[in-house]
Amino acid sequence: MRIDLHAHTTASDGTTSPADLVAQARAEGLDVVAITDHDTTAGWDEATAAARQHGVGLVRGMEMSTRYRGCAVHLLSYLHRPDDPTLVAELEAIRADRVGRLRAMVANLARDYPITWDDVAAQAVGARTLGRPHIADALVAKRVVPDRAAAFADLISSGGRYYVDYYATPTDEAIALVRAAGGVPVLAHAGAATRGAIVPDEAFGELAAAGLAGLEVHHRDHDAAQVARLAAFAERLDLLVTGSSDFHGAGKPNQLGEHLTAPDVLDAIADQGAVPVLPPA
Ligand code: AMP
Ligand code: FE
Ligand code: FE
Ligand code: ZN
């Protein structure tokens, strides 16, 4: 069984539609793929129809924007009820603040570069959640930078002069919200040093006590030391261990299936989740 539990679509900052994500998962020989767009489940229905058509197993999820003591933390939620009112309201608050924040970043950039809000909106057609990758795509379209990575290296980096932060739920509260909605919370790429401050050691016990189910250990942004560190915390705290690609279509080099999750871990996630896993044909 080849299982990849982290992928983005055009519902957030991926470049592949939900249907194409599933078709590509089939073409890559995956048995199960998860759709985990940032702060939205808007791609679920299209992905579900495609999964039935192609016979690909589907885990419906999302990647929630959270903050742990000032540190941006991405929390994967698998199999939560998508209509849970409290969670829905919180995701709406995050997405609304993301829009205001992106507008503020565009205003900052527009002082020095040829970019307007319409340019960014044109790159985000169909997206339910807006993010910096949509600014990056607008800068690429204007030939200011060659690709997303170049934009992130400088103009829109979190330490850069044009950067603006956005509201994200405290991580322990997000875990509680996800659990209350019947979801299975897993910390995404918690040892990714390239994204700024790393989650400190004391966070793991605290978040496990708050209801965390697992750690995404195997991910391209983790070096060997981080894989060992996260695996040790998972062992000590009895957390599930996942591995995933974090596929963003053409927006990142990450390839579907480059890291995988074990079948018994998927079984444990399925047991804890409120929404069924669509089985592979
Ligand atoms: P935001 O949540 O709007 O601050 O944007 C962060 C998103 O940008 C992450 O989810 C990544 O998918 C994407 N991202 C971060 N760094 C890069 C990079 N170097 N190249 C392409 N995408 C990136
Ligand atoms: Fe992303
Ligand atoms: Fe992430
Ligand atoms: Zn992701």
Side-chain angles (χ1 to χ4, degrees):
M1 285 272 275
R2 301 187 75 231
I3 302 163
D4 183 344
L5 292 184
H6 188 163
H8 297 265
T9 77
T10 47
S12 64
D13 60 4
T15 65
T16 310
S17 72
D20 287 345
L21 166 67
V22 172
Q24 208 166 317
R26 160 103 292 177
E28 302 287 337
L30 288 179
D31 299 287
V32 179
V33 69
I35 178 170
T36 56
D37 279 302
H38 298 284
D39 306 313
T40 185
T41 60
W44 280 23
D45 289 351
E46 184 183 318
T48 299
R52 293 205 167 103
Q53 183 194 329
H54 293 285
V56 174
L58 182 69
V59 174
R60 287 163 284 194
M62 67 161 174
E63 184 175 24
M64 189 170 174
S65 303
T66 82
R67 213 168 296 284
Y68 180 87
R69 295 192 203 151
C71 177
V73 171
H74 287 180
L75 182 71
L76 293 158
S77 169
Y78 297 117
L79 307 173
H80 62 274
R81 286 181 293 274
D83 55 356
D84 179 86
T86 316
L87 185 56
V88 163
E90 184 66 7
L91 296 173
E92 275 169 6
I94 295 170
R95 291 197 306 263
D97 206 61
R98 277 175 161 280
V99 173
R101 167 270 195 150
L102 224 59
R103 282 184 176 275
M105 283 190 69
V106 171
N108 290 347
L109 284 158
R111 290 199 291 267
D112 297 322
Y113 297 94
I115 185 169
T116 66
W117 178 249
D118 286 348
D119 296 332
V120 175
Q123 299 299 326
V125 175
R128 193 66 184 282
T129 303
L130 301 192
R132 279 182 288 164
H134 298 115
I135 296 184
D137 291 347
L139 292 168
V140 172
K142 285 288 172 81
R143 299 178 187 278
V144 174
V145 291
D147 54 26
R148 280 189 182 182
F152 273 94
D154 178 18
L155 291 184
I156 59 172
S157 84
S158 57
R161 50 202 286 247
Y162 305 108
Y163 185 78
V164 178
D165 230 331
Y166 61 98
Y167 169 73
T169 314
T171 309
D172 57 344
E173 287 177 28
I175 288 169
L177 283 172
V178 164
R179 283 291 193 185
V184 187
V186 172
L187 269 197
H189 47 67
T194 49
R195 300 166 187 254
I198 236 169
V199 180
D201 283 352
E202 63 268 26
F204 298 107
E206 211 175 289
L207 298 177
L212 187 67
L215 299 178
E216 187 180 60
V217 172
H218 305 287
H219 185 287
R220 73 154 57 206
D221 292 354
H222 293 162
D223 61 18
Q226 286 299 329
V227 170
R229 171 180 177 248
L230 294 168
F233 275 112
E235 172 84 34
R236 190 187 311 167
L237 297 165
D238 200 22
L239 297 169
L240 300 170
V241 168
T242 69
S244 299
S245 66
D246 205 353
F247 177 75
H248 280 69
K252 279 187 160 185
N254 309 36
Q255 294 302 310
L256 278 175
E258 67 177 31
H259 289 288
L260 298 170
T261 295
D264 63 310
V265 172
L266 176 58
D267 290 344
I269 290 171
D271 285 346
Q272 295 179 40
V275 164
V277 174
L278 289 185

